[in-house]
Amino acid sequence: METRSTCPYCGVGCGVIIEHDATQITGVRGDPDHPANFGRLCTKGGTLHLGMTPQVMAQRLMHPQLRSDKTAARKRVSWDAALDHAAEKFARAISEHGPDSVAFYISGQLLTEDYYVFNKLAKGLIGTNNVDTNSRLCMSSAVAGYKATLGADAPPCSYEDIDHADCLLIAGSNTAWAHPVLFRRIEDARAARPEMKLIVVDPRRTDTAEAADLHLAILPGTDIALYNAMLHVLLWEDLADLDYVRAHTEGFDALKALVRDYTPALAADICGVKAEDIVTAARWFGQAPAALSLYCQGLNQSSHGTDNNAAIIHLHLATGKIGKPGCGPFSLTGQPNAMGGREVGGLANLLSAHRDLANPEHRAEVARLWGVADVPAKPGFTAVELFEAVHRGEIKALWIACTNPAQSLPDLTRVHEALAKCPFVVLQEVSADTDTAAHADLLLPAAGWGEKEGTVTNSERRISRVHAAVPAPGEARADWRIVVDFAHRLESRLSQYGDTLFPYANTEDIFNEHRATTVGRDLDIGGLSYALLEQSGPQQWPLRAGAVFGTPRLYAGGVFPTASGRARFTSTQHQPLAEATDPRHPLHLNTGRLRDQWHGMSRTGVVSRLHAHAPEPAIEMHPRDMERRGIVDGDLVRLKGKRGSLLLRAAASNTLRPAQTYVPMHWGGQFMSGLGVNALTLPVTDPVSRQPELKHAAVQVEKFTVGWQLVAMRRDDEGGLHAALHPWLARFDHATLTLAGRDSTVVVLRAWGGEGSPVPSPDMLAELAAATGLDAPHMLAFNDTRCGIAKRALIEGDRLAGALLCNETRATDWLLDLIARGGSTADLRKWLFAPLATPPAAGPARGRIVCNCFDVSESEIRAELAAGLDLAALQEKRKCGSNCGSCLPELRRMAAQ
Ligand code: SF4
């Protein structure tokens, strides 16, 4: 059987076809009819069905669980008991401390209908605006930038504009990794029109930057100076469209006076790039008949993210390159439904259908639509503020849904402190194993991908239907259903409105109410229905009553949703970084994404093959910075910031400038010791958008001298071993807990002790062997207590099933390959019983897997290229890059090298 739905990862919003037998999901492929992807999927979307394996189901939350106090273990309870308890706690907090003593922290991964009922619950029923979302961490500067300049939170472009652009400016986005299917479209457009210019602005030479005609590797936080200087050149060289400016904008003269000072020479000095490159970028942008900009977290996650966004939008307004095919400022959303959340007003300062909380008429409209007396005027706490309020003790009951703030917020030590002391924390989640789950007093099992009904909106304002293919496992329920069931209980306790505010039997009822709130607004979907989505496919808003299809492009007539109908130029001045480097913290830390992982890895992290491209947590450093500190590639290093520290493996990288470092955002406390990179990031936020500066912190890196090391590897056919070994992460100076393997899952625990720290005792090794199932009677074991060397190997049938190594870990790659892929164990005994024997030559380690679809490793690709194959011949022989294409940019880079 087949069911159409969407991918739950990035904001490209690809359509998928789920293959299933009505009880189990068996496969997934791209939907050829979905306009976001036309059948394509990336490595993440293409492995969605693997999220239903025993390993994954073992970490699913199946039943509500409640603990009586912070020190007690959680126990399984019925849904009725769980929701009654939650309603009692919330009602008591509201009656004793007021509505603002409770809060909801939700997620851009919820569906629009889920989001809608959460928002109504907080603002309509309870009477608090304390509802914010993890979209605050990724999109709120884009929202604020659009509203400041264009008057509404509406990306004006479509993906099809990529096909028409003559100049494409990608800023603060590694599109090749973060939005891979969109990058395939960019590659196609460039192949069809080689004259198209690609400019990439990014401090790192990412795979996206590698593909550019011009890469501007600006210093962190200098975006505004660059775009102001580009505007300076556009004006100086008469490339602005002053007729458009006069007819359709306001505030230009003030900005013109401001950018007079931003000469290319000045900006070159601030940004650390060549002045002539700034001039070239401005000329390409200004001379192109159609120029499109794509941007993402590099602009948004900044203490001046709103101005970063405005500065790039100014280029479009000054040249009239907006509202036309191939033109416009196009913010890419990181999450699958960050847009839908914004549409229903699911943020602490917004109201339904892009209404403003600060506007009394808007509040009155929403109150009327909902049938409540009023909507409170006082803005709620935004994400970072919310957890500060929790820390201060102002929030007595906190409901978290579908997100992991204990990993994703900045300054994590303080967030963990806040969660630990919050009197009542509810977590509504799919996974039982997230860093936030440890703090939950009540865990509520939510339905996941393939199990839910509703709608989502992608980056190009396109609304798609999400369909359930199989029932949720255990007692898991749809998110909207959990909220409505809770709301009914709270209604009866607060007894303000009776049982009237949440009369929904299904998601379509919720969608229809949401639709009614949009009529007359910029995102009017008065003409949209579930039936139309089924019949005509995904549609872009607005789609007003009477319309048959959505709207691909906004502002074609040059009229903007501002009071005057004109777009606005704002004053964007270069601002220093919120945290400057200093002699004790001389390096810049940048954070971002990996190609094959998603957010906190609660879903991608349980699919073993998605670990293959980046198998271990690492910090990328410039070789010169490593040499200066006596660090070589692969060493363990301590990354120290002003708020925390982290141990990581160092990886030399020429994609960074000296003094820059890079750590992926994904690795958290489920996969390594410590809290993850956000232990070091700043809680400083943009003054308008309140988005935190997650892209930059000042740090130092020091070599960590290893005293001993240990590796335990075990095939995990039943699932559950990763969770069972998780407590071991806390028992060592540093440890990682990752997966390996392709068709079988291997759990890998690596641990290190510092110089002088005691070597793991025989008792501890025996305990670890028991925990990993490496204590069977027929186990091959070797111990040399004088040298502290221990080796164990377990053979099941004719295949190596697991191994444990202490202080002699040179054989790790060989053994891991044998466990994951099988192969002869003939040399095992000889190696095992000789304390310092060199591992058998099983060929070079395969290393990272570059092509996940066809399991082709970096070493294999390099060997083929060294043997004389060009890229086409390599692909012909190995098939790499010929399926999803996510690895193509990397293959091209390797071939070029
Ligand atoms: Fe999913 Fe990849 Fe498409 Fe993003 S690009 S929606 S992660 S398949």
Side-chain angles (χ1 to χ4, degrees):
M1 296 165 72
E2 293 186 343
T3 300
R4 282 194 147 78
S5 195
T6 58
C7 171
Y9 295 128
C10 84
V12 177
C14 296
V16 299
I17 296 177
I18 305 172
E19 299 160 4
H20 60 97
D21 61 9
T23 57
Q24 291 283 319
I25 290 175
T26 52
V28 67
R29 63 180 198 278
D31 181 349
D33 298 325
H34 197 291
N37 57 321
F38 297 110
R40 282 176 163 155
L41 294 177
C42 73
T43 41
K44 296 183 282 286
T47 50
L48 273 165
H49 60 297
L50 300 177
M52 300 292 178
T53 58
Q55 288 77 19
V56 179
M57 297 318 271
Q59 55 91 54
R60 281 292 296 263
L61 200 50
M62 296 290 193
H63 313 282
Q65 295 173 24
L66 178 67
R67 65 182 176 194
S68 51
D69 62 62
K70 298 280 180 199
T71 56
R74 279 187 295 262
K75 294 199 175 113
R76 180 177 170 178
V77 291
S78 70
W79 269 106
D80 280 344
L83 293 176
D84 282 341
H85 184 84
E88 199 55 47
K89 288 277 188 185
F90 272 68
R92 193 178 315 151
I94 292 164
S95 76
E96 290 177 6
H97 304 281
D100 288 337
S101 68
V102 304
F104 298 86
Y105 186 65
I106 57 179
S107 165
Q109 288 157 75
L110 290 169
L111 307 185
T112 301
E113 292 78 357
D114 305 327
Y115 244 123
Y116 185 88
V117 289
F118 261 121
N119 202 39
K120 189 174 179 182
L121 167 67
K123 295 173 184 171
L125 174 61
I126 297 174
T128 178
N129 290 312
N130 284 343
V131 53
D132 215 52
T133 152
N134 63 6
S135 298
R136 180 75 58 187
L137 311 182
C138 70
M139 294 317 305
S140 55
S141 293
V143 174
Y146 277 137
K147 289 174 80 167
T149 54
L150 308 184
D153 172 24
C157 316
S158 291
Y159 296 153
E160 68 179 38
D161 284 316
I162 289 167
D163 308 335
H164 302 295
D166 301 290
C167 175
L168 192 57
L169 170 63
I170 300 180
S173 161
N174 184 7
T175 322
W177 282 20
H179 298 93
V181 168
L182 200 63
F183 198 72
R184 300 284 83 72
R185 191 156 184 164
I186 294 169
E187 290 172 332
D188 288 351
R190 295 181 81 203
R193 300 168 61 232
E195 68 278 11
M196 178 201 273
K197 296 292 189 200
L198 176 61
I199 305 164
V200 173
V201 181
D202 198 308
R204 296 188 301 133
R205 194 165 182 82
T206 61
D207 276 357
T208 308
E210 190 71 36
D213 299 299
L214 176 62
H215 173 209
L216 292 163
I218 61 169
L219 293 167
T222 63
D223 309 71
I224 295 171
L226 172 68
Y227 303 125
N228 281 359
M230 285 176 67
L231 183 55
H232 175 106
V233 176
L234 290 171
L235 292 170
W236 185 258
E237 302 202 354
D238 211 14
L239 291 167
D241 182 346
L242 296 181
D243 289 341
Y244 186 92
V245 169
R246 272 189 289 273
H248 302 295
T249 71
E250 58 193 19
F252 183 65
D253 289 345
L255 182 63
K256 185 179 168 189
L258 186 152
V259 302
R260 195 171 292 139
D261 294 337
Y262 282 86
T263 61
L266 177 82
D269 204 33
I270 295 171
C271 302
V273 296
K274 290 186 201 153
E276 54 264 40
D277 286 347
I278 297 174
V279 174
T280 300
R283 284 181 183 156
W284 285 358
F285 190 96
Q287 290 166 354
L292 182 71
S293 53
L294 301 174
Y295 46 91
C296 201
Q297 312 305 359
L299 291 192
N300 296 341
Q301 290 177 331
S302 158
S303 55
H304 43 265
T306 304
D307 282 353
N308 287 346
N309 276 262
I312 209 166
I313 294 170
H314 289 159
L315 302 179
H316 291 274
L317 293 174
T319 55
K321 295 185 200 303
I322 185 168
K324 302 171 191 161
C327 292
F330 196 173
S331 141
L332 300 176
T333 41
Q335 298 190 85
N337 200 31
M339 289 285 287
R342 288 143 73 176
E343 289 157 19
V344 303
L347 287 156
N349 56 330
L350 296 180
L351 281 175
S352 296
H354 288 176
R355 289 179 177 85
D356 271 320
L357 196 62
N359 184 326
E361 282 175 30
H362 286 186
R363 292 200 303 276
E365 277 173 21
V366 171
R368 198 164 50 247
L369 285 160
W370 282 348
V372 298
D374 54 29
V375 172
K378 184 182 162 198
F381 291 121
T382 59
V384 173
E385 296 167 340
L386 171 59
F387 284 83
E388 268 303 309
V390 175
H391 203 285
R392 290 194 301 270
E394 293 171 26
I395 302 298
K396 311 297 179 193
L398 175 64
W399 190 302
I400 301 167
C402 205
T403 185
N404 188 12
Q407 184 177 343
S408 54
L409 281 167
D411 196 5
L412 277 180
T413 304
R414 201 158 168 83
V415 172
H416 279 261
E417 286 170 8
L419 283 165
K421 63 193 209 181
C422 184
F424 186 57
V425 178
V426 181
L427 177 64
Q428 176 175 327
E429 246 297 356
V430 168
S431 169
D433 301 331
T434 71
D435 291 358
T436 304
H439 294 285
D441 300 294
L442 176 62
L443 281 172
L444 300 175
W449 174 81
E451 302 158 1
K452 295 181 64 173
E453 289 285 337
T455 54
V456 289
T457 310
N458 73 359
S459 296
E460 56 168 357
R461 294 173 283 107
R462 191 179 295 281
I463 298 172
S464 295
R465 273 288 272 131
V466 171
H467 284 295
V470 295
E475 295 180 7
R477 290 184 180 175
D479 290 288
W480 73 271
R481 170 59 72 193
I482 299 170
V483 179
V484 168
D485 288 349
F486 171 73
H488 286 314
R489 286 168 164 83
L490 203 55
E491 274 179 319
S492 66
R493 283 167 175 81
L494 299 179
S495 65
Q496 241 165 313
Y497 301 105
D499 193 8
T500 58
L501 294 186
F502 298 87
Y504 318 113
N506 51 44
T507 57
E508 188 168 12
D509 290 346
I510 303 169
F511 178 86
N512 291 345
E513 185 175 308
H514 159 55
R515 177 181 61 190
T517 70
T518 70
V519 173
R521 305 286 307 157
D522 66 310
L523 72 167
D524 190 334
I525 51 168
L528 194 62
S529 64
Y530 272 21
L532 184 75
L533 288 170
E534 298 297 352
Q535 190 187 314
S536 305
Q539 299 294 327
Q540 290 171 279
W541 57 254
L543 193 155
R544 299 184 175 87
V548 180
F549 294 109
T551 312
R553 203 163 289 109
L554 304 180
Y555 313 135
V559 178
F560 294 86
T562 57
S564 62
R566 292 167 174 268
R568 293 180 288 244
F569 288 98
T570 64
S571 291
T572 47
Q573 282 280 20
H574 168 66
Q575 296 153 52
L577 286 164
E579 181 168 272
T581 54
D582 59 42
R584 292 181 60 217
H585 305 94
L587 302 174
H588 297 267
L589 169 67
N590 188 359
T591 69
R593 292 180 188 269
L594 292 169
R595 191 192 73 184
D596 292 352
Q597 294 294 352
W598 173 256
H599 282 197
M601 297 169 67
S602 61
R603 284 179 290 181
T604 50
V606 290
V607 179
S608 57
R609 70 177 64 174
L610 291 180
H611 286 251
H613 188 239
E616 278 188 90
I619 176 171
E620 291 182 22
M621 296 181 70
H622 190 275
R624 201 192 304 167
D625 292 323
M626 293 172 67
E627 191 184 339
R628 203 169 279 160
R629 290 164 176 78
I631 298 165
V632 298
D633 201 37
D635 274 354
L636 272 190
V637 297
R638 187 178 294 282
L639 171 64
K640 289 165 74 171
K642 296 181 183 176
R643 287 155 296 281
S645 71
L646 209 58
L647 275 169
L648 291 159
R649 209 182 269 289
S653 173
N654 283 312
T655 65
L656 299 163
R657 300 160 66 124
Q660 309 284 329
T661 67
Y662 177 77
V663 177
M665 61 184 269
H666 310 285
W667 304 102
Q670 297 300 311
F671 295 91
M672 63 184 292
S673 311
L675 301 177
V677 73
N678 284 324
L680 292 92
T681 50
L682 284 69
V684 175
T685 63
D686 176 281
V688 181
S689 71
R690 297 293 171 194
Q691 180 157 354
E693 174 137 309
L694 288 167
K695 284 284 183 188
H696 180 262
V699 295
Q700 177 60 294
V701 176
E702 293 166 357
K703 182 169 173 159
F704 176 81
T705 307
V706 173
W708 56 263
Q709 51 188 315
L710 172 157
V711 184
M713 306 166 264
R714 178 73 162 97
R715 209 172 65 220
D716 181 30
D717 298 331
E718 305 299 321
L721 184 57
H722 190 275
L725 291 182
H726 181 253
W728 283 84
L729 286 176
R731 297 183 63 169
F732 305 106
D733 287 345
H734 179 55
T736 62
L737 186 60
T738 58
L739 302 185
R742 184 172 176 82
D743 299 320
S744 57
T745 294
V746 183
V747 177
V748 185
L749 174 74
R750 292 179 169 89
W752 295 265
E755 201 174 29
S757 72
V759 178
S761 66
D763 286 350
M764 186 194 235
L765 290 176
E767 192 186 345
L768 179 58
T772 44
L774 294 171
D775 58 348
H778 57 285
M779 169 71 62
L780 301 176
F782 171 86
N783 288 306
D784 184 335
T785 42
R786 282 171 305 130
C787 310
I789 291 175
K791 304 186 211 174
R792 286 176 177 237
L794 174 68
I795 297 173
E796 288 176 345
D798 59 351
R799 189 165 168 178
L800 186 62
L804 193 158
L805 311 174
C806 186
N807 260 342
E808 216 308 54
T809 57
R810 289 174 299 159
T812 300
D813 287 344
W814 169 56
L815 295 172
L816 190 52
D817 203 47
L818 278 182
I819 299 167
R821 301 209 300 166
S824 168
T825 54
D827 293 326
L828 202 61
R829 284 168 199 276
K830 201 161 47 163
W831 163 79
L832 190 96
F833 293 112
L836 293 173
T838 306
R846 295 187 78 217
R848 295 181 319 119
I849 301 300
V850 174
C851 175
N852 224 321
C853 297
F854 293 103
D855 193 25
V856 189
S857 75
E858 180 176 13
S859 61
E860 288 156 359
I861 292 165
R862 291 206 185 281
E864 300 284 17
L865 293 170
L869 262 56
D870 63 11
L871 182 57
L874 171 71
Q875 288 196 264
E876 177 70 26
K877 183 174 175 188
R878 292 278 191 165
K879 304 278 177 262
C880 43
S882 62
N883 185 37
C884 81
S886 295
C887 63
L888 270 174
E890 193 169 352
L891 289 175
R892 290 200 183 101
R893 174 161 48 82
M894 291 168 76
Q897 283 166 358

